[in-house]
Amino acid sequence: MSQKRTALVTGASRGIGRAAAKALTEAGHRVVAAARDEEKLKSLVDEGGAAAWVKLDLASAESIKAAFAEAGAVDILVNNAGITKDGLAMRMKREDWETVLATNLTGAFLCIQEVLRGMMKQQWGRIINIASVVGESGNPGQANYVASKAGLIGLTKTLAQELGSRNITVNAVTPGFIETDMTAVLKDEIKQKMLAGIPLGRFGKPEDVAAAVRYLASEEAGYVTGCVLRVNGGMYM
Ligand code: NAI
């Protein structure tokens, strides 16, 4: 049995984050689930999917500071929380651009800053950023979201280089189309079109992504860093 670590998962109230919290708990880690929705976080802890929860709003630097102070030392950070505010670039409101970048990219960066000192001191750490297939491929109508996810991939590679000598690995997971609240809003017609482009012939489940997170967080993944792990059924290679 590998060593028990403390993992903090952002956006753990539902979808991929909730599945990742459960997978890391099953792997024997102490999981702190972080998000805005207290009730959903409490229910996750009640189900045994996490050991503790903290309230976290990524759009607020103060909230991030307070959440990490409450969580204590973190060995494994999963930057999962993310939002979309789609629209064509020509008509995109600056507010929609900024909100998405602030949550998906700046929020993740500030969370990383909160855990770095501790990880560097103990010479062990795992940082896992949930980006997206579109961060590599681009996607019309998602300039803000794609920029944030491509930014996360660049951040991942840079930090892998900065932190490698401290035995801290930094990796990105890029999910394809995963069945969660985020994709439930898409029209059937769009879903069918996307399905046609997926060699494995099905949409992904949150558990498919959670398995990749569990691997990257493990002791066994100690020689994997700066990697972009595609969990997309083959829709982008
Ligand atoms: P979701 O919408 O079901 O869950 C998003 C989570 O982020 C929720 O727990 C939500 O409360 C949290 N969150 C949003 N804004 C927040 C904020 N300001 N502060 C704290 N928490 C906040 O989405 P899903 O599908 O589970 O997505 C998880 C991650 O995976 C996101 O980063 C998303 O961009 C990414 N992703 C999802 C894909 C999909 O097909 N569902 C595909 C590729 C990437």
Side-chain angles (χ1 to χ4, degrees), residues 9-19 34-37 40-41 55-60 63-64 79-84 99 102-104 107 129-135 142 145 148-149 152 173-184 186 194 203-204 206 209 231 235:
V9 181
T10 70
S13 60
R14 60 174 197 245
I16 292 169
R18 195 175 182 98
R36 291 165 303 182
D37 189 329
K40 285 195 184 135
L41 290 173
K55 198 171 161 75
L56 168 73
D57 181 1
L58 283 177
S60 151
S63 168
I64 292 173
N79 277 316
N80 162 78
I83 54 166
T84 53
T99 309
T103 302
N104 297 6
N129 297 318
I130 308 299
S132 168
V133 58
V134 300
Q142 290 197 304
Y145 182 76
S148 74
K149 295 301 189 178
L152 266 183
V173 177
T174 53
F177 189 111
I178 310 297
E179 285 174 328
T180 67
D181 290 356
M182 188 176 266
T183 47
L186 295 174
M194 292 184 93
F203 295 130
V209 183
V231 182
M235 76 186 280

Side-chain angles (χ1 to χ4, degrees), residues 47-118:
E47 284 169 22
W53 62 273
V54 291
K55 198 171 161 75
L56 168 73
D57 181 1
L58 283 177
S60 151
E62 291 75 41
S63 168
I64 292 173
K65 275 224 162 310
F68 280 87
E70 196 182 333
V74 171
D75 310 304
I76 300 164
L77 171 65
V78 183
N79 277 316
N80 162 78
I83 54 166
T84 53
K85 285 192 184 293
D86 296 350
L88 291 174
M90 209 172 89
R91 285 195 294 270
M92 187 173 283
K93 292 197 195 83
R94 178 160 178 172
E95 190 193 333
D96 288 347
W97 169 267
E98 280 174 356
T99 309
V100 171
L101 266 293
T103 302
N104 297 6
L105 184 57
T106 308
F109 177 66
L110 294 178
C111 290
I112 290 169
Q113 282 196 315
E114 290 296 324
V115 300
L116 277 191
R117 204 175 296 272

